[in-house]
Amino acid sequence: MAEQATAQIGVTGLAVMGRNLARNLARNGFTVAVHNRTPARTRSLVAEHGDEGTFVPGETMADFVASLERPRAVIVMVKAGAPTDAVIDELVPLLEEGDIIVDCGNAHFADTRRREEALRAQGLHFSGTGVSGGEEGALLGPSIMPGGSAESYAKLGPMFEKIAAHVDGVPCCTHVGPDGAGHFVKMVHNGIEYADMQLIAEAYDLLRAGLDATPAEIAEIFRDWNNGELESFLIEITADVLAHTDAATGRSFVDIVQDRAEQKGTGRWTVQSALDLGIPITGIAEATFARSLSGHVDQREAARRAFPDAGEKWQVADRDAFVEDVRRALLASKIVAYAQGFDHIRAGSKEYAWDIDLGGTATIWRGGCIIRARFLNRIREAYDEQPDLPTLLVAPYFAEAVGAGVPSWRRVVADAARAGVPTPAFSSSLAYFDALRAERLPAALIQGLRDNFGAHTYQRVDRAGSFHTTWAGDRTESPA
């Protein structure tokens, strides 16, 4: 049992992420109280890593809380949902007014808003904090997205900013906004991550189909791409994965892995939230649905038997030109995914009165997180120059990059369609681009149809107001 309160922050839940976050804090000079439901895991952490800093182990939750300096700050690192609520319920009777509970897991932002409101009524602060970077990031420096009150950030900020990744001397951590803002931004981050990975996978598939290239050969293409505008963590590790050889079979690693992608729910949450807010995040949605489709093995097998050869033979005449087309199409599609993600954050910020700094969000994603990429600097600059930017696509740098890639984008999508190679994220991103730039959309016909079958009314281009046509009668028009 701790004899006096000496710990500056505590971590309860010492699975890999919680363990590494506690180690990161200790390595950076903070005294860290540690606790786990299974005390053996707490003892193991101290025995194996006690030389990295100062840990104060607590056998019971009461011991753990008693070891914390006021105002107490407790990081909860357990599974989202009921397990998180259970830990909070155990903590609350042991805490006092002004203490802070920090949820660093992948919680749904609506749960965070509920918890923050309930704990605020009890005089406690609750900070829903997104942490991105995986196991390595948690230990060496993640991107951290804290939500909650300004008062809680006054205590947490100096610690989180010190342990976060740093780019150009700037910490990849900022106070995102009140209640659920931190977890909302982390959710959208993960949605963009879904789109980014799907686009990369489609680019790989296109290169393999069009060039009949080996994974190792495609790895070299990705390594080359990582030296330019596409430089990012995901492009870097794509080259690593494609170059890897399976030790058991001697085959390319990517060829011995089942083609069914898993998901933990943040992609679905992102799409559901965007639907609620009326924000079209088509690239992220298609990436999420592509993962779902990959798991429908029985349907895929039945379709393969029914349609064994539904595409044309793909013949690429100029290898280098084709590789450049895919690169440009990938860059343009990625820009669309990020543009849609930032549209989503802006809409959430407005809906929930969070006042999120979009340029600041790009800044903290530049290091530590999974979607860190070179052009996040460009996103920050775009929003710094024009905070009310209607869409990232029209910022000068991105408009030039997308515009230059349009011919390549169209060729890639058209050739893939003819060859029967699925490109849901590439195709939907191109369709989104074309819809945004269209002078007139066919939604006018949809409005007419809705009025015809359900008297839902429509608006005219030549005068104000809403109108209805008596379609089943004499077809006269009247104001609604």
Side-chain angles (χ1 to χ4, degrees), residues 22-217:
R23 291 173 60 196
N24 189 354
L25 286 158
R27 286 177 169 191
N28 278 280
F30 300 107
T31 300
V32 186
V34 288
H35 168 268
N36 195 76
R37 185 169 53 88
T38 307
R41 185 167 283 177
T42 308
R43 293 191 289 268
S44 167
L45 169 61
V46 176
E48 294 173 22
H49 303 290
D51 60 347
E52 295 181 343
T54 305
F55 296 100
V56 182
E59 290 282 312
T60 68
M61 188 69 86
D63 291 344
F64 168 69
V65 170
S67 71
L68 291 163
E69 296 176 349
R70 294 287 315 276
R72 303 178 184 93
V74 180
I75 294 175
V76 177
M77 290 295 288
V78 299
K79 289 183 179 179
T84 297
D85 283 323
V87 172
I88 291 171
D89 288 344
E90 188 178 359
L91 276 169
V92 167
L94 303 172
L95 299 177
E96 299 174 73
E97 185 173 349
D99 289 346
I100 308 162
I101 298 176
V102 188
D103 179 7
C104 286
N106 265 338
H108 193 292
F109 78 94
D111 287 338
T112 300
R113 300 191 76 216
R114 167 180 59 80
R115 291 165 181 149
E116 193 277 336
E117 182 180 19
L119 292 174
R120 180 162 26 94
Q122 300 178 67
L124 300 173
H125 297 283
F126 184 76
S127 172
T129 297
V131 178
S132 178
E135 299 172 11
E136 183 175 316
L139 180 62
L140 302 179
S143 173
I144 307 179
M145 297 153 257
S149 66
E151 293 88 344
S152 66
Y153 193 75
K155 164 85 173 181
L156 300 171
M159 291 185 280
F160 283 171
E161 289 176 17
K162 189 169 183 181
I163 70 168
H166 286 68
V167 176
D168 300 329
V170 178
C172 294
C173 173
T174 191
H175 182 219
V176 177
D179 60 74
H183 276 149
F184 185 91
V185 166
K186 175 57 164 59
M187 175 191 74
V188 177
H189 164 284
N190 284 23
I192 295 172
E193 179 185 309
Y194 272 53
D196 213 339
M197 286 193 285
Q198 177 65 26
L199 289 166
I200 287 170
E202 290 179 18
Y204 152 75
D205 205 25
L206 288 163
L207 292 169
R208 194 156 191 186
L211 301 177
D212 195 25
T214 66
E217 290 169 338

Side-chain angles (χ1 to χ4, degrees), residues 201-340:
E202 290 179 18
Y204 152 75
D205 205 25
L206 288 163
L207 292 169
R208 194 156 191 186
L211 301 177
D212 195 25
T214 66
E217 290 169 338
I218 299 171
E220 291 306 311
I221 293 172
F222 274 91
R223 285 203 177 96
D224 181 59
W225 288 352
N226 202 47
N227 293 320
E229 294 170 300
L230 284 169
E231 180 190 349
S232 67
F233 173 67
L234 284 171
I235 294 288
E236 175 188 341
I237 65 172
T238 296
D240 289 342
V241 172
L242 291 176
H244 184 54
T245 299
D246 175 53
T249 64
R251 298 171 59 194
S252 295
F253 169 79
V254 75
D255 286 338
I256 59 92
V257 176
Q258 291 186 347
D259 62 342
R260 301 197 291 275
E262 304 277 338
Q263 56 180 307
K264 292 185 176 180
T266 47
R268 288 196 301 271
W269 293 347
T270 308
V271 175
Q272 289 163 351
S273 167
L275 287 170
D276 290 340
L277 293 169
I279 301 300
I281 55 167
T282 54
I284 295 170
E286 286 296 343
T288 305
F289 290 133
R291 290 200 192 186
S292 298
L293 188 149
S294 73
H296 288 268
V297 179
D298 292 344
Q299 288 183 333
R300 291 173 58 196
E301 180 58 33
R304 195 160 44 245
R305 288 195 302 268
F307 309 105
D309 187 17
E312 302 174 5
K313 182 175 176 56
W314 199 341
Q315 294 181 319
V316 171
D318 186 329
R319 180 188 186 279
D320 291 343
F322 176 69
V323 170
E324 178 61 9
D325 275 352
V326 176
R327 186 194 71 81
R328 287 173 178 261
L330 175 58
L331 178 61
S333 298
K334 281 166 67 79
I335 291 170
V336 166
Y338 280 77
Q340 292 177 348

Side-chain angles (χ1 to χ4, degrees), residues 362-434:
T363 299
I364 66 172
W365 285 352
R366 294 183 304 157
C369 71
I370 303 302
I371 64 170
R372 58 187 184 266
R374 175 186 290 192
F375 69 38
L376 281 159
N377 276 321
R378 300 288 192 173
I379 295 176
R380 180 194 61 187
E381 292 167 3
Y383 283 115
D384 285 349
E385 291 171 9
Q386 190 178 347
D388 59 348
L389 190 68
T391 168
L392 269 176
L393 292 177
V394 301
Y397 170 80
F398 296 108
E400 182 179 348
V402 171
V406 168
S408 295
W409 208 358
R410 297 198 191 287
R411 281 192 293 269
V412 165
V413 170
D415 288 347
R418 281 191 289 267
V421 176
T423 56
F426 271 63
S427 302
S428 66
S429 298
L430 178 58
Y432 174 85
F433 165 78
D434 281 330

